Amino acid sequence: MDFDSLFRAQIETLKAEGNYRTFAELERKRGEFPRAANHKDGEVKDITVWCSNDYLGMGQHPDVVQAMVDCVQACGTGAGGTRNISGTNHNHLLLESELADLHGKAAALLFTSGYVSNWAALSTLGSRIPNVVILSDAGNHASMIEGVRHSRADKVIWKHNDWRDLDRKLAAVGDRPKVVAFESVYSMDGDISPIKEIVQVAKAHGALTYIDEVHAVGMYGPRGGGVSEREGLADQIDLIEGTLGKAYGVVGGYITGSAPLCDFIRSFASGFIFTTALPPAVAAAATASIRHLKTSQIERQRQREQVAKLRARLDRAGIPHMANDSHIIPVMIGDPVKCRMISDILMRDWGIYVQPINYPTVAKGTERLRITPSPFHSDADIDHLATALASLWQQCALSHAVA
């Protein structure tokens, strides 16, 4: 069989549908976020990044950078092994302690990414709890879906953010062990789940509660513990999962919960057992970032101000964007080819980088630009972006929002 021909044919189909993904080759510059250098066709151009998940610019914070540099000088680069075989470093334990404290839990467990922590934790719960049923929100991230699928446990999908539908489906499951898995902030629409009602329903049916706070940790709550902290509900949730690669500006994932729960995942999750541990310097930098955001409100407050300013500016320009209560601004296009074209023109002519979001990340017909203002985007940056979008909206014959 000519495998390369098969591969090329499927790639060509993606391109014809407008869903082929190209990567911007960026070079981040310390101290200049959200500015970056874009390398393309042998040329280098300075651009402004509007779609980074480094939501608060903590990947550039002097304390975080210095913590990583100091740890590299002290410990070297890699961890040297899996956590079980020589790879557990003192910095890993300091970070796990910091994370447990962040969420008010007895224990925490580090993973190499947020994807892996979801995949490993859910697959372990589903495969090791006898006769369990996992009830998963219809909008859950691919990492959660893969974890449930890999577990081979029975699953039930409940309507997105619909706690009444969850209640009905929990009742239908009966007396079997149950895990309710959902997110706090959903990354593409930016909507926030009704955590209180979901937890109340889950507890009424004796279910274990599992929340993904990946897009919320560092961003919400008085210490950055996420939406569950902001709402005073963290103590009522059994397992809180998060990432170090977004608001904390580093890389890695984690879970927090009771000591037996975390030890259970540690002991049985293949995604934890059989992978090399995070470099100690990454753990040290993440610890510095978490400690800073536990006490500093400056970054969160400034970020909220810039989100509000951009939304107001888009409204004045008639640019349709999805309403939500989070920091994520989805600007709706509804066409994969136009979405890609607008992104390309923004980069080429305006020095603005916003990645097009197409299928399968979002459903066909809901293609969008996902914009994430940071504390470091200036008012002039906001005006420049809004002006560029208004110009392209007219050029590409897209519908304006109705005032």
Side-chain angles (χ1 to χ4, degrees), residues 186-204:
Y186 286 84
S187 63
M188 288 301 121
D189 288 354
D191 53 331
I192 297 177
S193 63
I195 300 176
K196 180 179 179 180
E197 290 81 1
I198 290 171
V199 170
Q200 286 177 341
V201 165
K203 292 305 178 185

PDB file of all heavy atoms in Angstrom, residues 186-204:
ATOM      1  N   TYR A 186     -15.153  26.911  30.025  1.00  0.00           N
ATOM      2  CA  TYR A 186     -15.001  26.162  28.771  1.00  0.00           C
ATOM      3  C   TYR A 186     -14.245  27.027  27.762  1.00  0.00           C
ATOM      4  O   TYR A 186     -14.604  28.178  27.516  1.00  0.00           O
ATOM      5  CB  TYR A 186     -16.368  25.718  28.254  1.00  0.00           C
ATOM      6  CG  TYR A 186     -16.915  24.573  29.083  1.00  0.00           C
ATOM      7  CD1 TYR A 186     -17.599  24.810  30.271  1.00  0.00           C
ATOM      8  CD2 TYR A 186     -16.682  23.247  28.718  1.00  0.00           C
ATOM      9  CE1 TYR A 186     -18.063  23.759  31.061  1.00  0.00           C
ATOM     10  CE2 TYR A 186     -17.145  22.195  29.495  1.00  0.00           C
ATOM     11  CZ  TYR A 186     -17.832  22.458  30.661  1.00  0.00           C
ATOM     12  OH  TYR A 186     -18.280  21.411  31.444  1.00  0.00           O
ATOM     13  N   SER A 187     -13.188  26.451  27.195  1.00  0.00           N
ATOM     14  CA  SER A 187     -12.165  27.247  26.536  1.00  0.00           C
ATOM     15  C   SER A 187     -12.598  27.890  25.228  1.00  0.00           C
ATOM     16  O   SER A 187     -12.049  28.922  24.841  1.00  0.00           O
ATOM     17  CB  SER A 187     -10.935  26.381  26.266  1.00  0.00           C
ATOM     18  OG  SER A 187     -11.233  25.320  25.369  1.00  0.00           O
ATOM     19  N   MET A 188     -13.540  27.330  24.511  1.00  0.00           N
ATOM     20  CA  MET A 188     -13.889  27.865  23.202  1.00  0.00           C
ATOM     21  C   MET A 188     -15.051  28.870  23.254  1.00  0.00           C
ATOM     22  O   MET A 188     -15.027  29.886  22.577  1.00  0.00           O
ATOM     23  CB  MET A 188     -14.220  26.730  22.230  1.00  0.00           C
ATOM     24  CG  MET A 188     -12.996  25.941  21.805  1.00  0.00           C
ATOM     25  SD  MET A 188     -11.760  26.976  20.986  1.00  0.00           S
ATOM     26  CE  MET A 188     -10.342  26.738  22.041  1.00  0.00           C
ATOM     27  N   ASP A 189     -16.066  28.595  24.057  1.00  0.00           N
ATOM     28  CA  ASP A 189     -17.173  29.544  24.205  1.00  0.00           C
ATOM     29  C   ASP A 189     -16.943  30.503  25.368  1.00  0.00           C
ATOM     30  O   ASP A 189     -17.599  31.545  25.456  1.00  0.00           O
ATOM     31  CB  ASP A 189     -18.498  28.815  24.422  1.00  0.00           C
ATOM     32  CG  ASP A 189     -18.991  28.117  23.159  1.00  0.00           C
ATOM     33  OD1 ASP A 189     -18.363  28.295  22.101  1.00  0.00           O
ATOM     34  OD2 ASP A 189     -20.001  27.387  23.247  1.00  0.00           O
ATOM     35  N   GLY A 190     -16.045  30.133  26.283  1.00  0.00           N
ATOM     36  CA  GLY A 190     -15.751  30.988  27.415  1.00  0.00           C
ATOM     37  C   GLY A 190     -16.838  31.013  28.471  1.00  0.00           C
ATOM     38  O   GLY A 190     -16.822  31.855  29.377  1.00  0.00           O
ATOM     39  N   ASP A 191     -17.799  30.102  28.400  1.00  0.00           N
ATOM     40  CA  ASP A 191     -18.878  30.094  29.387  1.00  0.00           C
ATOM     41  C   ASP A 191     -18.420  29.410  30.673  1.00  0.00           C
ATOM     42  O   ASP A 191     -17.496  28.599  30.679  1.00  0.00           O
ATOM     43  CB  ASP A 191     -20.129  29.425  28.824  1.00  0.00           C
ATOM     44  CG  ASP A 191     -19.865  28.036  28.260  1.00  0.00           C
ATOM     45  OD1 ASP A 191     -18.733  27.782  27.786  1.00  0.00           O
ATOM     46  OD2 ASP A 191     -20.778  27.197  28.291  1.00  0.00           O
ATOM     47  N   ILE A 192     -19.079  29.760  31.757  1.00  0.00           N
ATOM     48  CA  ILE A 192     -18.739  29.241  33.085  1.00  0.00           C
ATOM     49  C   ILE A 192     -19.880  28.363  33.579  1.00  0.00           C
ATOM     50  O   ILE A 192     -21.057  28.726  33.495  1.00  0.00           O
ATOM     51  CB  ILE A 192     -18.466  30.390  34.067  1.00  0.00           C
ATOM     52  CG1 ILE A 192     -17.232  31.189  33.591  1.00  0.00           C
ATOM     53  CG2 ILE A 192     -18.258  29.867  35.481  1.00  0.00           C
ATOM     54  CD1 ILE A 192     -16.907  32.405  34.433  1.00  0.00           C
ATOM     55  N   SER A 193     -19.528  27.209  34.085  1.00  0.00           N
ATOM     56  CA  SER A 193     -20.554  26.234  34.490  1.00  0.00           C
ATOM     57  C   SER A 193     -21.221  26.631  35.806  1.00  0.00           C
ATOM     58  O   SER A 193     -20.624  27.325  36.639  1.00  0.00           O
ATOM     59  CB  SER A 193     -19.921  24.845  34.635  1.00  0.00           C
ATOM     60  OG  SER A 193     -18.938  24.848  35.662  1.00  0.00           O
ATOM     61  N   PRO A 194     -22.464  26.179  36.010  1.00  0.00           N
ATOM     62  CA  PRO A 194     -23.162  26.401  37.286  1.00  0.00           C
ATOM     63  C   PRO A 194     -22.659  25.396  38.328  1.00  0.00           C
ATOM     64  O   PRO A 194     -23.316  24.388  38.631  1.00  0.00           O
ATOM     65  CB  PRO A 194     -24.630  26.162  36.916  1.00  0.00           C
ATOM     66  CG  PRO A 194     -24.578  25.177  35.787  1.00  0.00           C
ATOM     67  CD  PRO A 194     -23.325  25.482  35.026  1.00  0.00           C
ATOM     68  N   ILE A 195     -21.493  25.664  38.858  1.00  0.00           N
ATOM     69  CA  ILE A 195     -20.801  24.692  39.712  1.00  0.00           C
ATOM     70  C   ILE A 195     -21.637  24.317  40.933  1.00  0.00           C
ATOM     71  O   ILE A 195     -21.734  23.139  41.289  1.00  0.00           O
ATOM     72  CB  ILE A 195     -19.429  25.239  40.147  1.00  0.00           C
ATOM     73  CG1 ILE A 195     -18.549  25.516  38.930  1.00  0.00           C
ATOM     74  CG2 ILE A 195     -18.728  24.250  41.081  1.00  0.00           C
ATOM     75  CD1 ILE A 195     -17.216  26.156  39.266  1.00  0.00           C
ATOM     76  N   LYS A 196     -22.233  25.300  41.582  1.00  0.00           N
ATOM     77  CA  LYS A 196     -22.992  25.030  42.804  1.00  0.00           C
ATOM     78  C   LYS A 196     -24.094  24.005  42.555  1.00  0.00           C
ATOM     79  O   LYS A 196     -24.231  23.014  43.297  1.00  0.00           O
ATOM     80  CB  LYS A 196     -23.587  26.325  43.345  1.00  0.00           C
ATOM     81  CG  LYS A 196     -24.392  26.141  44.626  1.00  0.00           C
ATOM     82  CD  LYS A 196     -24.947  27.472  45.126  1.00  0.00           C
ATOM     83  CE  LYS A 196     -25.774  27.286  46.388  1.00  0.00           C
ATOM     84  NZ  LYS A 196     -26.324  28.592  46.873  1.00  0.00           N
ATOM     85  N   GLU A 197     -24.870  24.230  41.499  1.00  0.00           N
ATOM     86  CA  GLU A 197     -25.990  23.325  41.215  1.00  0.00           C
ATOM     87  C   GLU A 197     -25.490  21.939  40.802  1.00  0.00           C
ATOM     88  O   GLU A 197     -26.075  20.909  41.213  1.00  0.00           O
ATOM     89  CB  GLU A 197     -26.863  23.922  40.112  1.00  0.00           C
ATOM     90  CG  GLU A 197     -27.655  25.151  40.519  1.00  0.00           C
ATOM     91  CD  GLU A 197     -26.848  26.439  40.503  1.00  0.00           C
ATOM     92  OE1 GLU A 197     -25.647  26.389  40.157  1.00  0.00           O
ATOM     93  OE2 GLU A 197     -27.400  27.494  40.845  1.00  0.00           O
ATOM     94  N   ILE A 198     -24.431  21.903  40.009  1.00  0.00           N
ATOM     95  CA  ILE A 198     -23.884  20.605  39.576  1.00  0.00           C
ATOM     96  C   ILE A 198     -23.406  19.803  40.781  1.00  0.00           C
ATOM     97  O   ILE A 198     -23.690  18.601  40.900  1.00  0.00           O
ATOM     98  CB  ILE A 198     -22.732  20.824  38.577  1.00  0.00           C
ATOM     99  CG1 ILE A 198     -23.280  21.361  37.251  1.00  0.00           C
ATOM    100  CG2 ILE A 198     -21.966  19.513  38.335  1.00  0.00           C
ATOM    101  CD1 ILE A 198     -22.202  21.821  36.279  1.00  0.00           C
ATOM    102  N   VAL A 199     -22.695  20.455  41.676  1.00  0.00           N
ATOM    103  CA  VAL A 199     -22.173  19.760  42.858  1.00  0.00           C
ATOM    104  C   VAL A 199     -23.317  19.296  43.765  1.00  0.00           C
ATOM    105  O   VAL A 199     -23.298  18.172  44.292  1.00  0.00           O
ATOM    106  CB  VAL A 199     -21.190  20.669  43.626  1.00  0.00           C
ATOM    107  CG1 VAL A 199     -20.825  20.056  44.972  1.00  0.00           C
ATOM    108  CG2 VAL A 199     -19.927  20.897  42.789  1.00  0.00           C
ATOM    109  N   GLN A 200     -24.319  20.133  43.945  1.00  0.00           N
ATOM    110  CA  GLN A 200     -25.460  19.747  44.791  1.00  0.00           C
ATOM    111  C   GLN A 200     -26.153  18.507  44.239  1.00  0.00           C
ATOM    112  O   GLN A 200     -26.475  17.572  44.985  1.00  0.00           O
ATOM    113  CB  GLN A 200     -26.448  20.912  44.896  1.00  0.00           C
ATOM    114  CG  GLN A 200     -25.983  22.042  45.788  1.00  0.00           C
ATOM    115  CD  GLN A 200     -26.950  23.219  45.805  1.00  0.00           C
ATOM    116  OE1 GLN A 200     -27.790  23.370  44.911  1.00  0.00           O
ATOM    117  NE2 GLN A 200     -26.847  24.055  46.826  1.00  0.00           N
ATOM    118  N   VAL A 201     -26.376  18.510  42.923  1.00  0.00           N
ATOM    119  CA  VAL A 201     -27.033  17.362  42.290  1.00  0.00           C
ATOM    120  C   VAL A 201     -26.156  16.115  42.410  1.00  0.00           C
ATOM    121  O   VAL A 201     -26.636  15.023  42.751  1.00  0.00           O
ATOM    122  CB  VAL A 201     -27.341  17.681  40.808  1.00  0.00           C
ATOM    123  CG1 VAL A 201     -27.672  16.417  40.034  1.00  0.00           C
ATOM    124  CG2 VAL A 201     -28.489  18.676  40.701  1.00  0.00           C
ATOM    125  N   ALA A 202     -24.880  16.264  42.141  1.00  0.00           N
ATOM    126  CA  ALA A 202     -23.968  15.126  42.209  1.00  0.00           C
ATOM    127  C   ALA A 202     -23.928  14.538  43.614  1.00  0.00           C
ATOM    128  O   ALA A 202     -23.973  13.308  43.796  1.00  0.00           O
ATOM    129  CB  ALA A 202     -22.571  15.546  41.764  1.00  0.00           C
ATOM    130  N   LYS A 203     -23.847  15.402  44.609  1.00  0.00           N
ATOM    131  CA  LYS A 203     -23.778  14.918  45.991  1.00  0.00           C
ATOM    132  C   LYS A 203     -25.082  14.254  46.428  1.00  0.00           C
ATOM    133  O   LYS A 203     -25.081  13.290  47.199  1.00  0.00           O
ATOM    134  CB  LYS A 203     -23.426  16.083  46.930  1.00  0.00           C
ATOM    135  CG  LYS A 203     -22.007  16.613  46.751  1.00  0.00           C
ATOM    136  CD  LYS A 203     -20.968  15.522  46.896  1.00  0.00           C
ATOM    137  CE  LYS A 203     -19.561  16.042  46.672  1.00  0.00           C
ATOM    138  NZ  LYS A 203     -18.541  14.949  46.685  1.00  0.00           N
ATOM    139  N   ALA A 204     -26.197  14.775  45.912  1.00  0.00           N
ATOM    140  CA  ALA A 204     -27.486  14.168  46.254  1.00  0.00           C
ATOM    141  C   ALA A 204     -27.571  12.728  45.769  1.00  0.00           C
ATOM    142  O   ALA A 204     -28.295  11.904  46.349  1.00  0.00           O
ATOM    143  CB  ALA A 204     -28.622  14.993  45.655  1.00  0.00           C
TER     144      ALA A 204
END
